[in-house]
Amino acid sequence: MDDLKTIETELAAKIDAAANLEALETVRVETLGKKGRVTELMKTLGSLAPDERKARGAALNVMKDAVAAKLDARKATLERSALDARLSAETVDVTLPVRPIAEGRIHPISQTIDELVTIFGEMGFSVAEGPDIESDDYNFTRLNIPPEHPARQSHDTFYLVGENGQQYGNVLRTHTSPVQVRTMLAQKPPIRIVAPGRTYRSDSDATHSPNFHQIEGLVVDTTSTMGHLKGCLVEFVRAYFEIPDLRYRFRPSYFPFTEPSAEMDIACTRGGGELKLGVGDDWLEILGCGMVNPKVLAMCGIDPEKYQGFAFGMGIERVAMLKYGIPDLRTFYEADLRWLKHYGFLGIDVPTLTGGLAR
Ligand code: DAH
């Protein structure tokens, strides 16, 4: 039976030498296949005398089992190292920055406009637009701010002048409210719009910029009430600041284009140089609002006997500064790349109400 030991050693060496699964399969066929080494040896049993056959057969079976076990073991080893090789070849370093989009940033003003439009869009508002250069009539008069009205002074208006140096009735819009006028003149109620955009006032310090942004809201139909205004704005501030139980208050105020008018404040805590929103005994003014003045409806071609509505307006920089902790208004316009890298947003930070509004 020594020949069997020799053959087994030889086969074992071949199995060990198989460098991969294909090579091992070849060895298996050569050993246990139909014409394999061991199979051929089995075939010789028939020609042996019964006693000899028994002993030889038992020895052959032991050798066959040993070789089969060795084949299985080698197969498992090769499979494992094939998997390891594949895993290390396909490794993805998830800590690497997402290169193509990491370079650019969405400006906080653009991101905030997207957030505001997303929230009001979800409530059924559509977006309306108007030009930056606006007529005195739309910017003031039809909003119930006639030429002699004192509210004109408070707007620090940029009046445009013609070639002859004379004013000709156009201004850089001082607020987004003229988009209300344009919408009412162009559309029949029910109206439900928001109008984000650039606005201008001749004023410049840490909290005022000659160019800034506002968003305006307008709802007009037959049954709108102050209750709807309140529900809409409470829903809005809670969604925007992502504070579900955010505390707020409405204070009586005055705007020529609304009657009654109010300002909305949200609760805050100031202390230790930190501002915390939503809780506390201090208040932060967020926006102006009110029921559309019937005179404004009439001047914009809408019958105040039949229709009523509410409106609101707020500063976009202001709500962006509050939400994202941006301390100085002027930095918005300095185009400082370090600032943008810090406060800007990635292109994939698309605001959604389900996925979160930002980051
Ligand atoms: N236009 C106002 C401003 O620039 C903001 C505002 C207040 C708009 C009340 C409104 C409103 O529509 O109802 O200060």
Side-chain angles (χ1 to χ4, degrees), residues 155 174-177 180 201 212 214-217 255 257-258 261-262 287-291 310-314:
H155 276 221
T174 59
H175 50 179
T176 42
S177 303
Q180 288 190 28
R201 288 187 200 182
F212 58 108
Q214 287 188 340
I215 186 167
E216 191 80 14
F255 299 102
F257 30 88
T258 43
S261 302
L287 54 82
C289 59
M291 299 305 291
F310 64 85
F312 55 89
M314 81 190 101

Side-chain angles (χ1 to χ4, degrees), residues 51-68:
D51 278 0
E52 216 179 327
R53 191 192 304 157
K54 207 176 164 197
R56 178 79 176 168
L60 256 177
N61 269 333
V62 169
M63 185 260 227
K64 188 184 167 188
D65 288 349
V67 171

